[in-house]
Amino acid sequence: MSRATRELGFSWPALAAPRVVLHDLGVIEEGTFVNGLFVFVPPLCWIAAVLWRRPPRPFLTTVVVGAFYAVFLTAGHQLLWEESFGATAPALGGNLAGLAPAAQEGILRTAAAVSGIVTGTAVGAVTGAVAALLCRLVPDRESVGGPR
């Protein structure tokens, strides 16, 4: 067992990356029930996995899962940039509107990457806080007589 597996309690984190692909390709739309499932079910699964496995550091475990999600979120958005925006690629306004289109795209892609990393890690942190709290409130399987 690797040190990371011992510390985190999982050898392979569950990821919510499919939503990125489906959203960027226009298969699912913001505000729909299906989109909501893709947004909220994965973090709920992360919490369930923490409650099931009882890693030694539930908050850290879920933050790391969120960070992995953030990397996949960012990579997915970057890889699907053209498919997502097509001919209506975003552009900068104001004083930066005079920049070359390639420079504007570079700035926007960098901002999107930073946003993806922050968002995914924040989802992991919020989910981790909920998971850590639930680990304190909900007895584990050994406490109630179940196999571990």
Side-chain angles (χ1 to χ4, degrees):
M1 182 183 296
S2 72
R3 181 173 182 262
T5 300
R6 281 192 312 273
E7 293 293 318
L8 298 176
F10 296 139
S11 59
W12 184 254
L15 301 172
R19 184 205 167 266
V20 174
V21 174
L22 295 173
H23 176 265
D24 284 1
L25 294 177
V27 175
I28 58 174
E29 299 292 326
E30 293 283 333
T32 64
F33 176 74
V34 172
N35 184 64
L37 290 175
F38 277 94
V39 169
F40 294 108
V41 169
L44 291 173
C45 290
W46 302 346
I47 292 170
V50 166
L51 288 172
W52 181 260
R53 294 288 307 269
R54 297 296 173 140
R57 296 186 173 117
F59 178 77
L60 175 63
T61 296
T62 314
V63 170
V64 170
V65 169
F68 274 101
Y69 166 60
V71 170
F72 282 94
L73 173 76
T74 300
H77 284 314
Q78 294 298 318
L79 290 170
L80 297 169
W81 187 272
E82 298 296 326
E83 287 80 9
S84 182
F85 294 115
T88 60
L92 297 172
N95 293 337
L96 297 176
L99 286 176
Q104 289 188 35
E105 183 177 335
I107 291 168
L108 290 167
R109 280 180 176 259
T110 300
V114 170
S115 173
I117 296 295
V118 169
T119 299
T121 305
V123 168
V126 170
T127 303
V130 171
L133 177 65
L134 288 175
C135 280
R136 292 179 182 258
L137 297 175
V138 176
D140 65 7
R141 292 176 287 162
E142 284 185 352
S143 300
V144 293
R148 185 144 168 125

